[in-house]
């Protein structure tokens, strides 16, 4: 479930018009040096106005005056109109704005209009909210296929695992810098870890980041990115699988074992920051670990140096106890965009995220090593408007044991 970066963001574009007029002895009254102020959205930063066009149309004569390109003044943009005849006008403008909301870059088109604006000899000012949009939510994990398929001979096939992340807002967002995390801690193995950082951070045993310069990977409203463990056509190896060569990105590993290699498929490679295995990464196919996506707030080198985490605990087996430790990495909860806990009912012990990120869990398979889990996924539910449901509780928000979207 996501840590909502776009908490009920209401973006308003307001139009402010002011004029100073002067009279001529003959002919129409001419208003000189009028200004149109485009007030930029609230609750966002680094707003840039792009591709602007605008007009002022005289209702009586039909004469159209083209508005000049705006100049940024403070947080807003101002258009100067050298001359305009006194009268009633319809004012229209459209363009595009880019912005930052939290750590995520966004982009949206806008179109504004204000009709029957009276321009007279006297100064007049109009302020009007002319366009708004809701950006509830942001990126969410909408599907995880971790179980793998089965071959015609009914053997497990795990290389076709994938994850889907979706832009659940109403504006274009950029996925550059978002990392996929798999938890170090297991939902089937509760331990008293010291120090206990779960209220502050997510323990990560695998971190793979979407590359880009900040605006390289635009994702339109409601659209998704497909992240494949191996971005190849798996139907060539397993007729019951699917073609992942068209995925957007893949988890590519350079194995230290020459006998275990990772095929480099057609999709772009995710940037590997860290992984527990020295060979080839796969999702845990029974769902013992949990997943999150995060906007990493630092570079790779700094993260690996400053965010290492050693968790100490006592492992108990029967009457024996042993001091143990795990060397892993911590990702601050403030960076987490969405988290999904996975487990299996017969062996579930705890969720491995702060409840503020995810207070529940979802599953494929009801018992450990459940042979019916294959060919199933966990898929986020949608409301009547097609928005993905996000209550920060995977038990409520996901359909367990669902048919994978690529098998429908």
């Amino acid at each position: 479930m996501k840590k909502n970066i776009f908490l009920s963001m209401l973006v308003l574009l307001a139009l402010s018009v002011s004029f100073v007029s002067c009279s001529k002895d003959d002919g129409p009254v001419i208003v000189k040096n009028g200004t149109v102020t485009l007030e930029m959205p609230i609750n966002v930063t680094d707003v840039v106005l792009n591709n602007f066009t605008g007009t002022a149309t005289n209702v009586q004569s039909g004469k159209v005056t083209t508005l000049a390109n705006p100049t940024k003044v403070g947080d807003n943009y101002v258009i100067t109109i050298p001359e305009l005849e006194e009268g009633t006008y319809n004012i229209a403008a459209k363009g595009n704005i880019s912005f930052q909301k939290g750590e995520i870059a966004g982009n949206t088109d806008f179109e504004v209009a204000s009709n029957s604006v009276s321009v007279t000899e006297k100064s007049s000012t109009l302020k009007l909210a002319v366009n708004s949009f809701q950006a509830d939510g942001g990126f969410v994990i909408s599907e995880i296929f971790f179980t793998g398929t089965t071959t015609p001979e009914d053997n497990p096939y795990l290389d076709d695992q994938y994850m889907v992340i979706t832009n659940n807002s109403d504006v274009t967002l950029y996925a550059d810098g978002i990392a996929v995390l798999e938890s170090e801690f297991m939902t089937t193995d509760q331990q008293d870890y010291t120090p206990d950082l779960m209220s502050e951070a997510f323990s990560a045993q695998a971190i793979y980041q979407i590359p880009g310069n900040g605006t390289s990977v635009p994702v339109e409203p409601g659209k998704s990115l497909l992240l494949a463990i191996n971005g190849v056509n798996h139907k060539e190896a397993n007729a019951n699988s699917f073609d992942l060569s068209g995925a957007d990105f893949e988890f590519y590993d350079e194995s230290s074992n020459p006998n275990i290699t990772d095929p480099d498929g057609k999709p772009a490679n995710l940037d590997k920051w860290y992984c527990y295995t020295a060979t080839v990464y796969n999702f845990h196919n029974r769902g013992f670990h949990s997943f999150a996506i995060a906007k990493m707030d630092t570079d790779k080198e700094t993260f690996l140096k400053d965010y290492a985490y050693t968790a100490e605990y006592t492992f108990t087996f029967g009457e024996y106890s042993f001091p143990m430790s795990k060397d892993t990495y911590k990702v601050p909860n403030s960076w987490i965009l969405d988290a999904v806990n996975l487990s299996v009912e017969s062996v579930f012990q705890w969720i491995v995220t702060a409840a503020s990120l995810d207070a529940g869990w979802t599953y494929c398979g009801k018992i450990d090593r459940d042979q019916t889990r294959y060919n199933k996924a966990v898929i986020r539910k949608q409301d009547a408007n097609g928005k993905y449901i996000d209550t920060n509780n995977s038990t409520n928000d996901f359909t367990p044991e669902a048919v994978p979207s690529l098998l429908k």
Side-chain angles (χ1 to χ4, degrees):
M1 316 321 297
K2 75 181 278 294
K3 181 155 191 221
N4 199 339
I5 287 186
F6 288 79
L7 289 172
S8 302
M9 183 181 80
L10 178 63
V11 176
L12 299 178
L13 284 166
L15 200 63
S16 172
V17 186
S18 62
F19 300 95
V20 177
S21 63
C22 65
S23 299
K24 292 184 177 180
D25 293 334
D26 300 309
V29 174
I30 302 298
V31 179
K32 290 184 175 292
N33 297 320
T35 61
V36 177
T37 299
L38 288 172
E39 295 186 349
M40 292 294 102
I42 59 175
N43 298 329
V44 294
T45 59
D46 301 329
V47 179
V48 177
L49 178 64
N50 310 304
N51 305 323
F52 173 83
T53 59
T55 57
T57 303
N58 189 302
V59 174
Q60 288 81 14
S61 67
K63 181 180 178 180
V64 178
T65 299
T66 300
L67 302 181
N69 287 328
T71 300
K72 191 166 188 179
V73 179
D75 293 331
N76 300 316
Y77 284 83
V78 177
I79 307 156
T80 299
I81 307 175
E83 293 187 351
L84 202 63
E85 292 182 4
E86 184 181 60
T88 302
Y89 286 83
N90 294 337
I91 299 175
K94 62 182 179 179
N96 175 276
I97 56 172
S98 54
F99 55 86
Q100 288 284 134
K101 179 63 179 177
E103 297 297 324
I104 299 292
N107 185 286
T108 189
D109 295 327
F110 71 88
E111 188 167 356
V112 299
S114 182
N115 295 327
S116 300
V117 177
S118 180
V119 178
T120 67
E121 286 185 306
K122 295 182 179 180
S123 298
S124 62
T125 301
L126 173 69
K127 288 187 177 182
L128 179 66
V130 292
N131 189 36
S132 64
F133 61 87
Q134 291 282 351
D136 295 328
F139 285 106
V140 297
I141 299 171
S142 54
E143 179 178 359
I144 311 174
F145 177 63
F146 59 89
T147 61
T149 53
T150 51
T151 67
E153 297 77 27
D154 204 31
N155 294 318
Y157 181 84
L158 304 180
D159 289 343
D160 51 6
Q161 298 169 324
Y162 65 83
M163 176 184 292
V164 180
I165 66 173
T166 300
N167 176 4
N168 204 34
S169 78
D170 294 328
V171 296
T172 296
L173 301 175
Y174 296 95
D176 309 52
I178 292 178
V180 176
L181 318 173
E182 184 181 58
S183 68
E184 171 71 48
F185 301 155
M186 301 173 69
T187 58
T188 58
D189 182 25
Q190 183 172 3
Q191 300 291 342
D192 185 14
Y193 293 111
T194 302
D196 180 4
L197 298 180
M198 197 173 295
S199 64
E200 304 171 14
F202 181 94
S203 68
Q205 70 168 4
I207 305 172
Y208 290 78
Q209 186 187 57
I210 296 172
N213 62 14
T215 56
S216 301
V217 190
V219 184
E220 295 178 356
K223 299 299 183 180
S224 302
L225 294 176
L226 175 60
L227 314 179
I229 284 292
N230 285 315
V232 301
N233 183 3
H234 294 280
K235 294 183 72 68
E236 296 177 356
N238 176 14
N240 293 338
S241 187
F242 28 76
D243 185 359
L244 288 177
S245 62
D248 297 286
F249 295 95
E250 70 172 347
F251 296 79
Y252 176 71
D253 298 295
E254 293 183 357
S255 173
S256 62
N257 186 337
N259 297 317
I260 303 176
T261 59
D262 193 4
D264 194 356
K266 293 181 180 179
N269 294 332
L270 296 170
D271 182 11
K272 180 179 179 179
W273 282 32
Y274 169 74
C275 191
Y276 67 94
T277 177
T279 56
V280 174
Y281 173 62
N282 282 91
F283 299 159
H284 192 286
N285 73 83
R286 287 179 282 164
F288 285 6
H289 294 268
S290 299
F291 289 92
I293 54 175
K295 186 65 162 76
M296 306 301 280
D297 197 28
T298 188
D299 59 83
K300 183 194 301 187
E301 290 72 21
T302 301
F303 177 82
L304 295 176
K305 178 173 66 74
D306 294 343
Y307 290 84
Y309 168 44
T310 298
E312 298 181 345
Y313 63 102
T314 300
F315 176 75
T316 301
F317 182 76
E319 60 185 39
Y320 300 100
S321 296
F322 307 94
M324 301 284 287
S325 66
K326 287 180 180 290
D327 292 325
T328 185
Y329 287 91
K330 57 183 179 182
V331 178
N333 288 342
S334 60
W335 300 1
I336 304 294
L337 307 179
D338 193 23
V340 180
N341 282 284
L342 302 175
S343 199
V344 176
E345 183 176 3
S346 66
V347 289
F348 169 76
Q349 295 187 18
W350 66 334
I351 61 172
V352 295
T353 65
S356 60
L357 300 182
D358 187 10
W361 56 278
T362 188
Y363 63 92
C364 287
K366 296 180 176 61
I367 61 173
D368 190 15
R369 304 185 186 276
D370 195 332
Q371 295 302 301
T372 69
R373 74 184 186 277
Y374 298 112
N375 308 296
K376 295 177 182 177
V378 296
I379 298 180
R380 189 180 291 272
K381 300 173 185 176
Q382 294 174 279
D383 63 21
N385 297 317
K387 289 287 188 181
Y388 285 102
I389 296 171
D390 187 6
T391 67
N392 289 352
N393 189 318
S394 291
T395 304
N396 300 328
D397 297 347
F398 276 80
T399 299
E401 300 187 314
V403 176
S405 60
L406 295 186
L407 288 179
K408 294 180 179 179

